[in-house]
Amino acid sequence: MKRDLGVTDTQVSLLQGSAFALFYSVSQAVRAACGSPVAWRWIIGIGATFWAVMASLCGIAQSYWQLFVVLHGASCRRGLLMPASYSIISDYFSRERLPRAYAVLMLGAPIGTAVAFGAGGAVVSYATSVGSVTLPLLGEIKSWQLVFLITGLPGIPLGLWALATLREPQRRGTLALTGSALPWSAALGHLREHWSTYGALLTGLSITAMFGSGYMSWVAVYFMRARPDRRPVRRAVRASAWWQASPASAGSAWCDWLWRRGATDAPLRTAIHALVIALPLGIAAPLVDDWRLSFALVTALVFFLTFPQGSNVAAFTLVTPNELRGQVSAVFLLAINVCGLGFGATLVALITDYVFVDPQRVGDSLSITALMAGVPALACLVLGLGPYRRSIAQASRWTEPAAQAGH
């Protein structure tokens, strides 16, 4: 793709991050301003279907800017699907089961990554072997474009399936048993009242996302550029890909254990514990000489970056009343994705291109990014423990309907 489009590492990082973050910011602002729709299943089904269509259109992009624009559209999956998913899951499950439920939702990303190393690798091998192909109406399609088409088109029937099968649950955890949406001004008022809690969550988790996004965008490139023996690394990546689906479940189990020991701030503590371990791993992984040790450190890093995903979502859901969860989750995801997707990958690329001016030193850029993002993120989360406990105490007074049968 770099050869065909004539782009640099920094331009590739904009495709990986800023193209998503820019459109995501607009879609989140519009969605939040419209309040909390009642029919969440429509938002989920339409968002997933539209994402698959836009992802497929990446396969016919003929220039860098065409690809950039289409990736804007693909980012609607985050802007539409995720806030609705967070809200509808909070209605399906009780407070105690939310971290585990969100962890199951979060399994989608690592399982998708694992599939990408297997089935996706087979698609890439096939596309590489056939080279460019000529399709009716579309003309010549290069191998990297063919990958987009093969992997994007199956998402369309899956999105339509979600639209047809999802059902709306009964509202739970409301300020009043009305089930109706509150105006956007009410969301802002709630955020102002709990500004120290949301400030710590938004800032700490956003910077953590920048750490993780930057690392995951460039660590494979680091191994290909800086490690001379690439084949063992690729085999090891494929062999270990499937186990990466387990960290979110492990994180929810750790959160449950903390809860049973009386920690009302268990979701936030889970994020802190994971980051305390991930920070030194991220700094050290590219600096060791042996590729096996380096890969082992990266594997552990991926585990602990993924470890608190379910509890992270539960952390802000548990301090937000039902009527505001769609709007507040939009703000939460906006901050996470603009900071993480918008700046993580680009920060690594900028350090590589303009500080070291050497593509081979991308590993040093990863270490610096881990240090620059990990330390302030950890400080924000630790400072937020006290305010978070106070917000949890207030949230315990919200109304809670009887448990729903079958969920």
Side-chain angles (χ1 to χ4, degrees):
M1 184 179 70
K2 287 183 64 177
R3 180 185 66 250
D4 292 336
L5 301 182
V7 295
T8 65
D9 278 358
T10 299
Q11 288 174 301
V12 171
S13 75
L14 294 176
L15 289 175
Q16 292 174 307
S18 296
F20 279 89
L22 183 59
F23 183 87
Y24 181 85
S25 302
V26 176
S27 65
Q28 285 292 68
V30 172
R31 200 217 62 76
C34 293
S36 299
V38 175
W40 288 119
R41 70 184 186 92
W42 287 96
I43 302 296
I44 293 173
I46 293 172
T49 304
F50 186 67
W51 171 83
V53 171
M54 300 305 288
S56 301
L57 289 178
C58 293
I60 61 174
Q62 299 296 318
S63 69
Y64 174 80
W65 289 109
Q66 287 180 8
L67 188 58
F68 188 94
V69 170
V70 174
L71 282 174
H72 278 61
S75 68
C76 78
R77 188 266 300 179
R78 296 176 182 271
L80 298 177
L81 190 151
M82 297 310 291
S85 300
Y86 292 168
S87 183
I88 204 170
I89 285 178
S90 72
D91 290 328
Y92 272 124
F93 298 95
S94 64
R95 294 165 59 88
E96 293 75 17
R97 298 174 66 193
L98 273 183
R100 191 176 307 169
Y102 286 129
V104 173
L105 173 67
M106 295 300 178
L107 289 178
I111 288 177
T113 301
V115 171
F117 282 114
V123 172
V124 172
S125 297
Y126 168 75
T128 303
S129 66
V130 301
S132 60
V133 298
T134 301
L135 300 179
L137 302 178
L138 300 181
E140 183 182 11
I141 299 295
K142 296 181 172 60
S143 59
W144 62 269
Q145 294 173 309
L146 187 60
V147 172
F148 276 114
L149 289 173
I150 294 174
T151 56
L153 290 173
I156 298 176
L158 288 176
L160 296 175
W161 173 65
L163 184 61
T165 58
L166 280 175
R167 296 293 179 264
E168 295 292 330
Q170 180 186 0
R171 300 293 184 185
R172 63 167 68 238
T174 58
L175 289 175
L177 287 175
T178 61
S180 60
L182 296 180
W184 181 236
S185 58
L188 292 178
H190 181 78
L191 291 175
R192 283 195 298 269
E193 182 181 356
H194 298 274
W195 68 269
S196 54
T197 296
Y198 285 109
L201 288 174
L202 290 174
T203 306
L205 296 180
S206 295
I207 303 175
T208 302
M210 183 170 67
F211 172 13
S213 176
Y215 228 97
M216 294 305 99
S217 296
W218 290 103
V219 69
V221 176
Y222 154 70
F223 277 113
M224 287 189 288
R225 290 180 182 174
R227 301 296 177 174
D229 191 359
R230 302 178 187 178
R231 185 172 300 175
V233 175
R234 289 173 176 171
R235 286 202 302 264
V237 169
R238 287 194 294 267
S240 68
W242 286 101
W243 82 271
Q244 294 178 15
S246 64
S249 298
S252 67
W254 180 256
C255 184
D256 288 342
W257 183 80
L258 292 175
W259 250 326
R260 290 195 298 271
R261 293 178 62 88
T264 59
D265 55 2
L268 186 53
R269 285 188 180 273
T270 301
I272 292 172
H273 296 165
L275 187 55
V276 165
I277 301 174
L279 176 56
L281 291 173
I283 296 172
L287 302 180
V288 298
D289 292 331
D290 183 77
W291 78 264
R292 295 173 182 82
L293 177 58
S294 178
F295 181 78
L297 294 176
V298 168
T299 302
L301 172 66
V302 171
F303 182 92
F304 285 104
L305 286 175
T306 312
F307 187 82
Q309 283 188 342
S311 56
N312 283 352
V313 181
F316 81 85
T317 302
L318 291 173
V319 295
T320 306
N322 182 289
E323 299 95 329
L324 301 179
R325 283 174 186 164
Q327 294 158 302
V328 171
S329 65
V331 175
F332 174 82
L333 288 168
L334 176 62
I336 293 282
N337 286 280
V338 167
C339 190
L341 290 176
F343 297 106
T346 302
L347 177 60
V348 176
L350 288 172
I351 295 173
T352 302
D353 285 345
Y354 297 103
V355 176
F356 296 118
V357 198
D358 182 0
Q360 296 300 116
R361 297 194 63 181
V362 65
D364 295 328
S365 301
L366 288 172
S367 290
I368 293 174
T369 300
L371 181 64
M372 291 176 61
V375 172
L378 184 59
C380 289
L381 295 178
V382 171
L383 290 174
L385 283 170
Y388 186 78
R389 285 191 290 267
R390 291 191 291 272
S391 296
I392 282 286
Q394 180 176 332
S396 65
R397 298 193 292 271
W398 298 336
T399 60
E400 192 75 11
Q404 302 176 57
H407 299 298

